[in-house]
Every structure is written in structure tokens, then in C-alpha cells.
Amino acid sequence: MTRTIRAAVFDIDGTLALMNKKAGTFTALPGAVDALAACEAAGIAVIAYTNGTFFPPAHYYPLLADAGIRIAPGHLLTPAAIAAEALARQGYARIMVMGGDGTRVPVRDAGIEIVEPTPDAGPVDAVLLGYTRDFGATELEAVVQAVWDGARPFAGSVAPYFASSNGRMLGISGAIAAALENATDQKVTVFGKPEVAGLDTVTALTGAAPAEMAVIGDDPKLEIRMGRRAGALTVGVTTGIADEALFMSFPADERAHMVLSSLEQLADLPWLTEPA
Ligand SMILES: [Mg+2]
């Protein structure tokens, strides 16, 4: 396969690093630091894209830098950051946000006015759901009313649950999205993996088309599915949630193009070592 790769899109958890959930710190996985250096040496833009919506992007840069993983400003993406960038690009100026700082900060940084989910909020063009524990029936009713009144519903992620040190943790925005769809019959548009919207943001940042991207991740249902849908080169790593057998169990056209036991093997790949 001959391809020119101009951008490498790395998942964070289980791919570049592992998070110590108690301390909130990251440890680089084997080969991660060298893989990023190899990309840089080859003139390939590096993007770190996590599917988490708990924190705004700025939260991650210093924690990853402490683990030796340096990501260029603006090149760390979360579903909420992708949502904010996409909605701003689509001309949304006022959005009702039901979510915590992980969602609110990127929306505000994108220059979008945040409307609180209150009974007297008035008309809005869109509602955006993100992770929050700080809501009740009043907020839920306000979001539903906004959609009844014509607002388009969006969510960063609708994952049913997340892995945490305490086991499964409920995906709140997925639960709210299900409630919203139940009440309004409107489909909630999702920005996070495995939807391909994040790769549009990568194109906006780097100029690379999806076919010129390598998507590297530990989850066949998230990174690999997203990359395959978009026509990117997909690279699975077995340092996270899936082993090689799980990666290989997918149908050929949905399977990772290659599976590595760690990022230590990435620097040896032809698209990184041979000039385009
Ligand atoms: Mg992962």
C-alpha cells in the first residue's frame, strides 16, 4: 500500500499513555515518545484525540507533558472541542449547553454564546449535551423544550458507559440524549468517535485529507471504525482494551490495516521511514 501520510491521529488512553485515575497523572506507553518524535522528523502533523468529555483540552497538555508527551497547542482534541469547532464553523452563535467545564470551555473558546438550560432561556438554534452531574428535571425540561421549539440536538459523546478505576461509569450525556430522543423523536447528532467529524477538524488544523491520515488507537470500535469510515490508514495497538484476536475478529473492510503490540513498532513503518 502506498500512501502519503501527512497527519497522525493518536488516541490517548491505552494508546499514547495510561492514566493513573487516583492521581490524575499519565504514564507514557512504550514507544509513545519516540513515535511522536518520528512523526515530527518525517514532517507528519501529530494530533492527540481522546473521546473523554470530562475536561477541557487545556487540562491534558501539562499532564501529558509531564509524561514526556508534548502536543502542539490546538492539536489536542476532545468530542466537545470538535463539537464547538464544528458548530462555530456551521454558524451557530447561541447554544444551550447542558454539560460541565469539559463542554463549556471549548464552546466559549469557539466564540459561541452559552445559554443556560433554564425555563426562561428563550429560543436557541441548538442544544449541546456533555458530561455533567449537575442537573435535574428543570434542566432536562429546558433542553427538551428547546428541541420542541426547533433547536437542533447535538452531543459530544453518547457512550453508554466509560471505564474507570471503579469499573463502569455511566455516560451521562448518552443517557440525556436517549431521554431527549424519547421525548422529541429527534436524532441527536454526535461528534465523538466513531463518528468522523473529528477528522474534519484534523483537516481544518493540518490540511490533510482523511486518506492522508493515519489513525492509531486501542479500540477497534472507536478509532479503527472512525478511521475506516473516513478512508484513513488505521493502526491498532494492543496496549489498551483490545488484544490482537479482538482486532482481527472484525470483517476485513472494518478491520485495522495493521495491529502493533506497542508504539515501539510504529517508528519502523514505511510511511514513517521512507520519504513520500
Ligand atoms: Mg483508548
Side-chain angles (χ1 to χ4, degrees):
M1 178 185 328
T2 15
R3 274 181 193 255
T4 303
I5 299 298
R6 296 174 59 207
V9 182
F10 291 88
D11 173 49
I12 296 179
D13 249 299
T15 302
L16 284 177
L18 288 179
M19 191 180 186
N20 177 326
K21 297 244 161 52
K22 280 212 175 87
T25 56
F26 284 99
T27 307
L29 279 161
V33 173
D34 289 345
L36 299 192
C39 287
E40 197 173 328
I44 295 170
V46 168
I47 304 290
Y49 176 11
T50 178
N51 222 29
T53 55
F54 297 96
F55 303 111
H59 175 89
Y60 294 96
Y61 292 96
L63 294 175
L64 289 171
D66 285 347
I69 295 169
R70 282 165 215 293
I71 304 298
H75 284 215
L76 191 144
L77 305 178
T78 69
I82 288 156
E85 192 265 347
L87 293 172
R89 196 157 20 98
Q90 291 168 33
Y92 288 95
R94 287 181 86 235
I95 295 180
M96 180 178 285
V97 175
M98 186 165 166
D101 278 351
T103 304
R104 299 171 64 93
V105 170
V107 170
R108 192 193 63 206
D109 288 354
I112 295 170
E113 183 192 342
I114 293 176
V115 177
E116 302 298 336
T118 59
D120 53 357
V124 291
D125 299 326
V127 302
L128 177 61
L129 310 176
Y131 186 83
T132 177
R133 303 182 57 82
D134 188 17
F135 68 96
T138 302
E139 287 75 19
L140 183 56
E141 285 168 347
V143 165
V144 168
Q145 188 64 53
V147 175
W148 277 338
D149 291 342
R152 293 273 315 276
F154 297 98
S157 165
V158 290
Y161 55 85
F162 302 95
S164 87
S165 46
N166 299 320
R168 282 185 183 184
M169 204 175 142
L170 177 66
I172 303 276
S173 52
I176 301 293
L180 190 56
E181 290 186 351
N182 184 56
T184 66
D185 257 341
Q186 294 281 309
K187 190 98 185 84
V188 174
T189 299
V190 180
F191 290 95
K193 304 170 190 176
E195 301 304 322
V196 300
L199 300 185
D200 292 341
T201 300
V202 175
T203 298
L205 279 168
T206 67
E212 300 171 311
M213 295 175 194
V215 174
I216 304 109
D218 70 308
D219 192 330
K221 290 184 179 171
L222 294 181
E223 290 86 28
I224 306 307
R225 193 163 278 171
M226 171 181 72
R228 292 293 319 226
R229 281 180 181 172
L233 177 72
T234 55
V235 182
V237 289
T238 57
T239 45
I241 65 156
D243 59 13
E244 185 169 5
L246 182 54
F247 276 109
M248 297 314 284
S249 71
F250 284 74
D253 59 346
E254 297 172 23
R255 192 183 300 157
H257 292 95
M258 58 194 81
V259 178
L260 309 179
S261 60
S262 85
L263 288 180
E264 286 174 301
Q265 295 177 291
L266 193 80
D268 297 329
L269 297 179
W271 55 268
L272 263 173
T273 53
E274 287 166 10

